[in-house]
Amino acid sequence: MKVINQAAELTHAIKSLKAKGKSVGFVPTMGALHNGHISLTRHAAEENDVVVVSIFVNPTQFNDKDDLKKYPRTLEADSKLLSENGIDFLFYPTVEEIYPDDENHAFDYSFGGMENELEGKHRPGHFNGVGQVVKRLLEIAIPDNLYMGQKDFQQFSLINYMINDLNIPVTLRVAPIIREKDGLAMSSRNVRLSAKDRKQAPILHTTLEETKLFIDAFTVKELEEMAMNKFASVENFKPEYFTISDGYTLKDIVSVEDHDFIVASLAVWVGDVRLIDNMILKNDSSARLLI
Ligand code: AMP
């Protein structure tokens, strides 16, 4: 595995591989890698000749500076894991390398209003930062295929919108959520949970499962209220939202019959760690991005 810090060096290497007819798969991450990330690199390796992984804790997408400071950084273990998994290039740039002019120069982009739903109501500016960094990374890595996780449902939805809207020549591929044995969605932030909170955290997943099970027995509003009440009853849980939305527009829905692609999404503070998760409740349209 070749580790590259300079954007120009990566672009040069990728251009020469592409000139030789090699296809390139790209997996952007913020590091502290786990099996969720590795499942993306495996999909990328299956579908491409060359796999590029980036590790960049992007300051512009952190609306909470404390979260940025506490974000786990485990470069040594990450490099080991990536080389064991046959990754060709690790791109590990500095902030200056990604934002040479000024990291704060605003990327003022509207994702068709979808950025204002779900996470957008709680993390102002977050998706602008995500769009900014993904656009920049795609310019540097010029991949054929981009791999993202369903774990961040709104994120991949917005990136899909941006790719189509700006005509960025890349195919987005979305891989399923990888979970711990007890159902907790793998996340770099899980290591920050206390032992007690870690034990309770799978309630997020069981609540999603129950919602799916009862989708025809209750109204959308009732299901959302039941989930929020459940979270509120758990010690150390502070729910921000539990929302059932249309999987394409991310807008709240009233009735499941009127939509063929439906997702339930949540954000809950578990102790001082903010966790998100989601589950597709209905997919009659076989949404084509999903692997
Ligand atoms: P992050 O490092 O958290 O920015 O995540 C990098 C990529 O890995 C994103 O596309 C995430 O959606 C994806 N990812 C994170 N956790 C998981 C998981 N548990 N299962 C599948 N993909 C994941």
Side-chain angles (χ1 to χ4, degrees), residues 219-232:
T219 66
V220 166
K221 194 160 175 277
E222 283 166 345
L223 290 166
E224 290 174 340
E225 278 172 7
M226 279 154 55
M228 287 297 276
N229 289 339
K230 169 97 172 264
F231 296 148

Side-chain angles (χ1 to χ4, degrees), residues 8-285:
E9 189 187 345
L10 181 65
T11 306
H12 180 75
I14 299 301
K15 275 188 180 161
S16 58
L17 285 162
K18 287 176 94 175
K20 288 181 196 141
K22 305 279 186 203
S23 59
V24 177
F26 176 49
V27 183
T29 82
M30 299 204 298
L33 301 179
H34 49 67
N35 280 338
H37 298 112
I38 296 305
S39 84
L40 297 182
T41 71
R42 293 215 173 109
H43 286 297
E46 270 164 29
E47 298 179 353
N48 301 272
D49 301 314
V50 177
V51 179
V52 182
V53 174
S54 65
I55 295 181
F56 179 62
V57 183
N58 174 37
T60 70
Q61 73 187 68
F62 283 81
N63 53 310
D64 175 352
K65 292 302 159 199
D66 192 47
D67 188 28
L68 172 62
K69 212 169 80 194
K70 288 185 181 155
Y71 200 83
R73 290 162 170 88
T74 58
L75 181 63
E76 213 173 301
D78 291 352
S79 310
K80 189 164 172 281
L81 192 60
L82 292 176
S83 36
E84 284 165 4
N85 279 277
I87 304 310
D88 301 285
F89 294 98
L90 166 58
F91 181 48
Y92 181 68
T94 59
V95 173
E96 294 71 32
E97 191 65 23
I98 295 296
Y99 304 118
D101 306 328
D102 171 7
E103 69 166 85
N104 293 319
H105 74 87
F107 176 73
D108 206 1
Y109 180 72
S110 157
F111 301 83
M114 272 197 296
E115 72 276 23
N116 300 322
E117 307 294 337
L118 303 168
E119 288 289 282
K121 292 180 182 157
H122 300 269
R123 300 188 69 186
H126 167 65
F127 287 118
N128 252 303
V130 171
Q132 179 183 31
V133 77
V134 172
K135 183 167 176 288
R136 175 87 175 109
L137 289 170
L138 290 174
E139 284 160 5
I140 295 167
I142 40 174
D144 300 287
N145 297 298
L146 167 66
Y147 294 83
M148 302 189 100
Q150 188 207 312
K151 164 82 186 342
D152 297 273
F153 196 98
Q154 188 170 14
Q155 174 171 281
F156 86 68
S157 305
L158 298 192
I159 295 303
N160 182 45
Y161 178 93
M162 183 178 83
I163 285 169
N164 291 324
D165 185 44
L166 302 180
N167 280 315
I168 301 175
V170 69
T171 301
L172 175 60
R173 306 278 286 145
V174 177
I177 303 175
I178 304 297
R179 299 180 178 279
E180 302 286 356
K181 279 202 183 74
D182 60 11
L184 176 64
M186 290 192 180
S187 162
S188 305
R189 290 184 174 86
N190 291 350
V191 294
R192 294 188 39 231
L193 294 168
S194 71
K196 200 171 154 211
D197 290 342
R198 173 64 189 82
K199 273 202 194 118
Q200 308 264 47
I203 293 173
L204 303 181
H205 178 241
T206 49
T207 305
L208 286 165
E209 283 198 312
E210 280 163 19
T211 304
K212 187 167 184 171
L213 201 62
F214 292 129
I215 185 148
D216 294 322
F218 295 93
T219 66
V220 166
K221 194 160 175 277
E222 283 166 345
L223 290 166
E224 290 174 340
E225 278 172 7
M226 279 154 55
M228 287 297 276
N229 289 339
K230 169 97 172 264
F231 296 148
S233 74
V234 181
E235 198 191 335
N236 273 354
F237 273 28
K238 280 203 199 75
E240 275 190 356
Y241 65 88
F242 183 97
T243 304
I244 298 175
S245 332
D246 182 279
Y248 291 113
T249 65
L250 305 185
K251 286 193 189 312
D252 298 8
I253 64 168
V254 176
S255 145
V256 293
E257 288 81 42
D258 302 337
H259 303 264
D260 55 14
F261 186 35
I262 295 174
V263 60
S265 312
L266 63 85
V268 176
W269 286 89
V270 178
D272 68 348
V273 186
R274 186 177 185 277
L275 297 180
I276 60 169
D277 200 349
N278 68 78
M279 187 173 281
I280 294 170
L281 302 183
K282 183 175 173 187
N283 187 4
D284 291 349
S285 59

